[in-house]
Amino acid sequence: MPENEAADARPRLSRRGWILVIAGLTVLTAIAAWVGWQMASQPARWADVGFQVISPTEAEITFDVYLYTDDPVVCHVQALTVQFAEVGVGQVTVDPADGAEQRITLDIPTVEQATAATVRGCGPE
């Protein structure tokens, strides 16, 4: 069999196949646009910087907040044990008047020794 015939022996995509491919790509594009829109419409995003266990009854967390709104947002933090049990919580109000990007350090009172601290989320007051 000549080389050209072997190359042409591949099955071609049917009209129905092309329609399904185009429909699938359209759906994936719509989902990606929706996720992007949801993320862009958030009033703030945050990034954990670090934490320190001060004592068995206190942990300290440091995190960055990036504000995309002119209204204050409240950030909720939590202290966790090695089994991911929540042993302490805290919150702080972040005022955009202090800047669109802020580094915050917050003490979290705990009921037992924490092994981690993280930001649970930031949102409108």
Side-chain angles (χ1 to χ4, degrees), residues 4 10 12-13 15 21 32 36 40 45-46 51 59-60 74 77 85-86 90 94 99 110 113 115 120:
N4 288 344
R10 291 181 290 164
R12 299 286 181 195
L13 203 55
R15 181 182 191 124
V21 167
R45 72 179 169 88
W46 59 92
F51 72 92
E60 179 184 87
V74 176
V77 298
E86 188 176 78
V94 182
T110 61
Q113 181 137 356
T115 57
R120 189 179 330 152

Side-chain angles (χ1 to χ4, degrees), residues 1-108:
M1 182 183 325
E3 176 111 8
N4 288 344
E5 286 182 27
D8 292 336
R10 291 181 290 164
R12 299 286 181 195
L13 203 55
S14 67
R15 181 182 191 124
R16 181 173 183 259
W18 277 111
I19 291 172
L20 291 174
V21 167
I22 291 170
L25 289 173
T26 302
V27 168
L28 287 175
T29 302
I31 290 171
W34 180 79
V35 168
W37 177 260
Q38 290 295 336
M39 293 185 113
S41 65
Q42 296 297 321
R45 72 179 169 88
W46 59 92
D48 291 333
V49 173
F51 72 92
Q52 181 179 3
V53 177
I54 305 297
S55 72
T57 60
E58 184 178 16
E60 179 184 87
I61 183 170
T62 301
F63 60 98
D64 292 333
V65 179
Y66 306 94
L67 301 171
Y68 304 110
T69 179
D70 293 332
D71 299 323
V73 298
V74 176
C75 292
H76 300 274
V77 298
Q78 60 187 354
L80 305 170
T81 65
V82 72
Q83 293 88 11
F84 300 105
E86 188 176 78
V87 293
V89 295
Q91 70 180 30
V92 62
T93 300
V94 182
D95 189 354
D98 296 331
E101 298 178 14
Q102 299 180 36
R103 177 159 287 180
I104 297 174
T105 300
L106 181 67
D107 292 330
I108 306 170

